[in-house]
Amino acid sequence: MSRLVEHLRTYGENVAIHTDSQQLCYRDLADRVEAAASSLGRDRRLVLLETRNDIATLVHYLGALAGRHVVLPVPAGRDHTAVLQTYDPDVVVSDGDVQHRRTSAGHRLHDDLAMLLSTSGSTGSPKLVRLSPTNLISNAQAIADYLHIDETDIAATTLPMSYCYGLSVINSHLARGAGLILTDRSVTDERFWETFRRHRGTSFAGVPYTFELLERISFDTMDLPDLRYVTQAGGRMPPERVHRFAEHAQTGGWQLFVMYGATEATARMAYLAPELALSRPDAIGTPIPGGSFSVEAPDGDTIGELVYHGPNVMLGYARGPADLALGKTVDALHTGDLARRAPDGLYEIVGRTSRFVKMYGLRIDLQRVESALSAAGISAFCADDDDRLIVAARTGRDAGVVQRIAAEAAGVPASAVRAVIVDELPLLPSGKPDYPAVRELAQEHGLPSAGTLRELFADVLQLDPADVDPDASFVDLGGNSLTYVAMSVRLERAIGQLPADWQQRPLQELEAVATPARRRRFWAATVETSVALRAAAIVLIVGSHAELFELWGGAHLLLGIAGYNFGRFCLTPLPRAKRVRHLRNTIGWIAVPSILWVALALLLTDDYTWTNLLLGNKILGPHDSMTAGRLWFVEVLVWTLVALAVLFWLPAMDRAERRRPFAVAMAFLAVGLALRYDALGLELGRDAWFTMLAFWFFAIGWAAAKATTALQRVLLTVVLAVALQGYFDSLTRELLVLVGLALVIWLPTLRCPAALTAAAGVLAEASLYTYLVHYQVYALFPGDPLIGVLASLAVGILITQLVTMARHRLRARRGAVRAAKLTPARR
């Protein structure tokens, strides 16, 4: 009986294997392994094992080792022609079926050879890593030591058994009598987590892409009471993601181990202790027990190639059957990674010696380009193809932005970069990047072509046409409530009636719904309800202030529409950082021009004080000035958005809103109503109309944007009607706001004459600047309120157009500067 079988038997009735349908104790596993070893033959043989994460595969893997055969694990369901033809294995095991290809051993196998593995999980290559029993055992014991694995642990097999990382999970747990949950299910499959919870799983392993999937399914909110630790290896994970998962680990009561390894070192070479994942997420940590590093750097340089020494370093490579007779041909592993040892003793990877390409006379680090894209929140793989840089990025990204960031990071012209947007990034079975597949993608996909709508999007959003991806939507491209008006009006003219959710549809889909025949019909035009109400509200505000008529309530209507647009354009499916950045930009679009106008008015008039310059007059006073409350709407809106930006910067709030968008909006509405009804006993009386206590109008608009059912809209309408009752002490004012916000709740668009649609769009787009300047403009026409109102609207429209023109010129200048910077690279 082999030492491996004896080792398994020592753990007796401990459960070794869990599956969906059965459990297997160590004693029974040992019996099966012993039988499998016999079925493979008495002479040492080369055994090709097609692997799945199931009992049959595990038993034959252990059987091959127990019988001192040489096992070559390969992923099931793949083409292994190259390996079969090159190495001509004696035995092939597939789905538990043992096929003897000859009656006796056909290869000369070195006594120390136990396993052959494809490098980095690649398939189809005859270049294999030769591993010995010492390599396997020493690495399994080292991993078990620093992870503190014992008999109570149960690990799920989240990685292929043909991949050294996946195999190391199996080896290290069987070395300590721990349990394994054998499954091929993805971490995105709820059945995986049901099995994990049912068998009280304590750990699982993941490559960087696994953690990207975990973020998509809100892993941090899962209830996993028995989870003890999670390991990450298989490539560098962005430090910011390491930090996020370290935070999740801290709050969830488990540990995160970030590890560094290679097939040539059996699996692991270094690990980052969990307590350092928060403070040093950019480091690979320290060598595993029994191993050591050296950095081979030029004299005086602290950065050089990382070299690993340890008993787990491979015997050497095999490129053909003759190499199977070789003994140990390497003493240390030259990793090919550029590294340094930091003052705190931790090792850091700073680049890759083999991922440099020459383009335009420049030596370009492809890993650096990928890191620059990752820092911008873009998951992408980079490869070279002759004189071009190929970048594959996942769906939802803007190809133009990907192209520009990659070009700037590489220092080459944008024309030298080809960005391809794909549903999923190409991966090897190991979960590592498949760079040859990235090159193939460049042949299958072309760069987006420029078209009319593309130029329209670029014009309104102040982008280069090349930066507008046809697969991106208005929201994806950075559109917000301020650019929404201009885009909706101009888009209506270009393609006819707009779909209700046009702002979230890809540009190329909008081209497909164009209806030119309808555009010529007088009543075929539609206008967004929010756009029409913004136009109407600004006319009501200016007209009432100039005393042309008296119809109050326009500002409160605008506050509700602002909340509606907040829900649509700021709380999108984008990542949290981008949500907050989008919200920050929206605040800037409102606050900056407001402050600039107040500064100008302070120089020319006595209308404002220094507190207006801070947009804080309603908070800081003075409250007795005739002009004290003129900018109350801007102040309330800006500080509301600032407070929400702070709140949604918090991961917990962000997660809650994504899970229950309507419920969260209603919770904020409840807070607003508590202020409206003075639940805190502040007794601000009529002043509450014009302070942060008017927040409930914003909240009800926000909830309207998130309402998806008729019942939710009915609830909002009832709340609106009840809350307005007696709010203004003016039935006319209350009815005006009620009707306006009810339209927002129930009707996304209105049908009206085309000429009226265009006028509404112009007025709505200029509403902010009109609101800011109208106090000073209509005052120039005392005794003639009609001219004062028309002049105010005209000046607001004029300033809007001038700002748009200035932004166009600034964009052109930035493009010229960027081109000038790239000129040396072209030479």
Side-chain angles (χ1 to χ4, degrees):
M1 185 168 61
S2 77
R3 293 176 61 184
L4 175 57
V5 173
E6 289 179 355
H7 169 80
L8 296 174
R9 288 201 194 284
T10 59
Y11 293 105
E13 299 302 315
N14 284 10
V15 178
I17 309 299
H18 303 266
T19 70
D20 284 341
S21 58
Q22 60 180 310
Q23 292 182 341
L24 197 66
C25 70
Y26 269 90
R27 178 175 48 77
D28 292 339
L29 176 61
D31 291 342
R32 295 196 188 190
V33 168
E34 190 171 25
S38 299
S39 72
L40 296 174
R42 297 180 62 183
D43 298 331
R44 291 187 73 211
R45 301 191 176 194
L46 177 59
V47 179
L48 186 141
L49 175 64
E50 291 192 349
T51 64
R52 292 183 172 84
N53 288 337
D54 58 22
I55 291 178
T57 299
L58 179 63
V59 165
H60 283 92
Y61 161 67
L62 296 173
L65 294 179
R68 297 192 66 250
H69 302 289
V70 177
V71 60
L72 170 51
V74 295
R78 298 273 178 149
D79 182 7
H80 309 301
T81 303
V83 173
L84 286 167
Q85 291 178 347
T86 302
Y87 290 97
D88 188 21
D90 302 311
V91 182
V92 173
V93 181
S94 179
D95 291 328
D97 179 49
V98 180
Q99 176 191 356
H100 291 271
R101 304 179 76 204
R102 55 179 60 89
T103 57
S104 59
H107 297 281
R108 185 180 168 205
L109 306 172
H110 194 278
D111 286 346
D112 288 340
L113 184 62
M115 183 181 295
L116 298 167
L117 281 178
S118 296
T119 57
S120 300
S122 61
T123 60
S125 172
K127 181 182 178 182
L128 302 175
V129 172
R130 297 182 290 118
L131 299 172
S132 69
T134 299
N135 296 152
L136 298 172
I137 294 170
S138 64
N139 204 230
Q141 294 289 2
I143 294 170
D145 284 346
Y146 70 74
L147 293 179
H148 306 293
I149 298 174
D150 61 29
E151 297 177 32
T152 64
D153 281 306
I154 301 173
T157 56
T158 47
L159 300 167
M161 204 181 295
S162 57
Y163 173 36
C164 70
Y165 185 13
L167 205 55
S168 73
V169 173
I170 290 171
N171 293 343
S172 56
H173 281 74
L174 293 181
R176 295 295 170 88
L180 294 167
I181 302 172
L182 294 182
T183 176
D184 276 318
R185 291 198 176 106
S186 166
V187 294
T188 61
D189 190 334
E190 177 55 33
R191 291 173 296 176
F192 171 88
W193 297 109
E194 290 174 0
T195 302
F196 190 85
R197 280 187 285 264
R198 184 170 74 252
H199 294 307
R200 306 188 68 176
T202 60
S203 72
F204 65 89
V207 295
Y209 184 64
T210 308
F211 288 81
E212 192 174 328
L213 295 176
L214 291 174
E215 287 192 322
R216 291 192 211 171
I217 62 173
S218 300
F219 169 73
D220 55 305
T221 65
M222 288 187 178
D223 179 26
L224 301 171
D226 299 294
L227 182 63
R228 185 169 74 81
Y229 69 88
V230 176
T231 63
Q232 182 272 312
R236 183 178 184 272
M237 191 157 76
E240 57 270 20
R241 182 168 285 150
V242 173
H243 190 274
R244 283 199 300 275
F245 274 90
E247 288 179 333
H248 299 335
Q250 195 173 57
T251 58
W254 47 273
Q255 293 181 311
L256 174 68
F257 286 85
V258 178
M259 309 187 299
Y260 168 77
T263 309
E264 290 85 346
T266 311
R268 305 278 68 80
M269 292 182 283
Y271 73 100
L272 184 67
E275 60 270 18
L276 297 173
L278 276 173
S279 59
R280 295 288 271 112
D282 53 337
I284 63 169
T286 55
I288 64 171
S292 64
F293 284 129
S294 62
V295 177
E296 294 189 354
D299 291 342
D301 199 346
T302 60
I303 296 177
E305 184 178 11
L306 188 65
V307 180
Y308 176 77
H309 311 262
N312 52 312
V313 173
M314 65 177 178
L315 299 174
Y317 290 112
R319 293 173 174 84
D323 293 333
L324 304 185
L326 297 176
K328 193 170 182 63
T329 58
V330 296
D331 295 320
L333 178 60
H334 290 255
T335 65
D337 287 324
L338 295 174
R340 63 178 166 228
R341 188 173 186 267
D344 58 5
L346 301 180
Y347 287 86
E348 301 170 340
I349 302 297
V350 298
R352 178 78 182 162
T353 60
S354 61
R355 293 208 67 215
F356 286 87
V357 297
K358 287 292 286 290
M359 291 174 58
Y360 290 82
L362 302 173
R363 190 165 184 259
I364 299 169
D365 182 356
L366 296 182
Q367 180 60 54
R368 183 172 175 271
V369 177
E370 287 182 2
S371 297
L373 290 164
S374 177
I378 299 172
S379 298
F381 297 156
C382 299
D384 67 303
D385 183 20
D386 295 328
D387 59 346
R388 292 180 304 176
L389 179 63
I390 309 301
V391 182
R394 213 178 61 230
T395 298
R397 306 307 314 179
D398 181 336
V401 171
V402 173
Q403 181 186 30
R404 185 173 67 249
I405 294 174
E408 290 175 352
V412 299
S415 59
V417 179
R418 192 167 192 178
V420 180
I421 306 301
V422 294
D423 291 333
E424 295 294 343
L425 295 175
L427 300 170
L428 296 167
S430 64
K432 290 188 175 183
D434 187 346
Y435 291 112
V438 173
R439 296 187 186 94
E440 293 173 6
L441 287 170
Q443 301 171 2
E444 300 172 5
H445 298 261
L447 290 176
S449 59
T452 303
L453 291 192
R454 193 173 176 204
E455 292 169 355
L456 173 59
F457 270 57
D459 185 51
V460 173
L461 296 174
Q462 299 297 296
L463 301 170
D464 290 326
D467 293 346
V468 178
D469 178 11
D471 290 324
S473 69
F474 173 75
V475 173
D476 294 332
L477 294 170
N480 56 30
S481 59
L482 299 171
T483 52
Y484 176 81
V485 176
M487 181 61 78
S488 64
V489 173
R490 294 179 63 180
L491 199 56
E492 170 84 24
R493 296 177 197 153
I495 70 172
Q497 183 172 349
L498 297 178
D501 58 347
W502 70 264
Q503 69 275 8
Q504 295 180 348
R505 295 197 183 192
L507 186 153
Q508 62 183 3
E509 189 175 320
L510 294 177
E511 286 186 328
V513 300
T515 54
R518 291 187 181 182
R519 293 202 301 273
R520 293 191 292 269
R521 293 173 53 190
F522 182 74
W523 278 97
T526 59
V527 63
E528 292 275 346
T529 301
S530 62
V531 172
L533 289 175
R534 275 175 69 171
I538 195 62
V539 172
L540 293 178
I541 290 169
V542 176
S544 297
H545 286 162
E547 299 182 357
L548 177 63
F549 47 73
E550 190 172 328
L551 285 172
W552 303 104
H556 291 83
L557 194 55
L558 280 182
L559 198 56
I561 295 168
Y564 181 67
N565 287 328
F566 168 77
R568 290 198 298 170
F569 300 117
C570 295
L571 300 183
T572 62
L574 294 173
R576 177 171 61 94
K578 290 198 172 184
R579 272 186 168 189
V580 175
R581 185 161 61 247
H582 195 155
L583 187 49
R584 179 200 65 195
N585 293 341
T586 300
I587 294 168
W589 276 56
I590 301 169
V592 171
S594 301
I595 292 170
L596 290 175
W597 179 255
V598 170
L600 180 61
L602 278 172
L603 295 175
L604 302 177
T605 72
D606 296 326
D607 290 347
Y608 300 122
T609 69
W610 66 272
T611 59
N612 293 111
L613 197 62
L614 299 177
L615 302 182
N617 174 263
K618 297 302 293 185
I619 301 171
L620 302 173
H623 305 291
D624 56 353
S625 168
M626 290 294 292
T627 59
R630 283 187 170 183
L631 299 179
W632 77 270
F633 166 74
V634 171
E635 293 183 6
V636 169
L637 180 56
V638 166
W639 290 111
T640 293
L641 293 176
V642 168
L644 291 172
V646 172
L647 286 173
F648 281 100
W649 175 79
L650 301 173
M653 180 62 72
D654 180 77
R655 290 193 300 270
E657 196 281 331
R658 291 178 192 275
R659 289 196 300 268
R660 297 286 188 273
F662 182 73
V664 169
M666 290 299 291
F668 276 89
L669 175 57
V671 172
L673 290 174
L675 296 173
R676 178 257 183 272
Y677 286 107
D678 198 20
L680 299 178
L682 301 177
E683 298 182 358
L684 294 178
R686 189 176 182 279
D687 286 343
W689 296 2
F690 311 109
T691 68
M692 294 298 292
L693 302 187
F695 166 73
W696 73 273
F697 289 97
F698 181 96
I700 208 160
W702 172 7
K706 298 302 181 182
T708 57
T709 67
L711 183 60
Q712 290 173 344
R713 294 187 181 96
V714 169
L715 174 62
L716 281 178
T717 307
V718 171
V719 170
L720 174 64
V722 171
L724 275 171
Q725 181 68 32
Y727 187 79
F728 294 115
D729 295 329
S730 168
L731 181 60
T732 302
R733 193 172 189 174
E734 291 165 4
L735 285 175
L736 188 148
V737 176
L738 174 62
V739 171
L741 293 182
L743 286 173
V744 171
I745 294 170
W746 288 99
L747 291 177
T749 60
L750 301 171
R751 294 178 66 83
C752 60
L756 190 58
T757 297
V762 171
L763 288 169
E765 185 180 3
S767 58
L768 174 62
Y769 292 102
T770 302
Y771 183 88
L772 292 175
V773 305
H774 80 282
Y775 291 109
Q776 286 73 39
V777 174
Y778 75 73
L780 299 176
F781 304 93
D784 204 336
L786 178 58
I787 295 178
V789 169
L790 294 176
S792 297
L793 297 175
V795 172
I797 293 169
L798 177 61
I799 293 177
T800 301
Q801 295 302 314
L802 291 174
V803 170
T804 301
M805 290 172 58
R807 293 180 65 231
H808 273 291
R809 291 188 178 183
L810 182 60
R811 184 189 71 183
R813 183 172 297 178
R814 283 201 304 263
V817 170
R818 187 185 305 149
K821 287 181 178 178
L822 294 176
T823 298
R826 292 190 180 97
R827 296 196 188 108

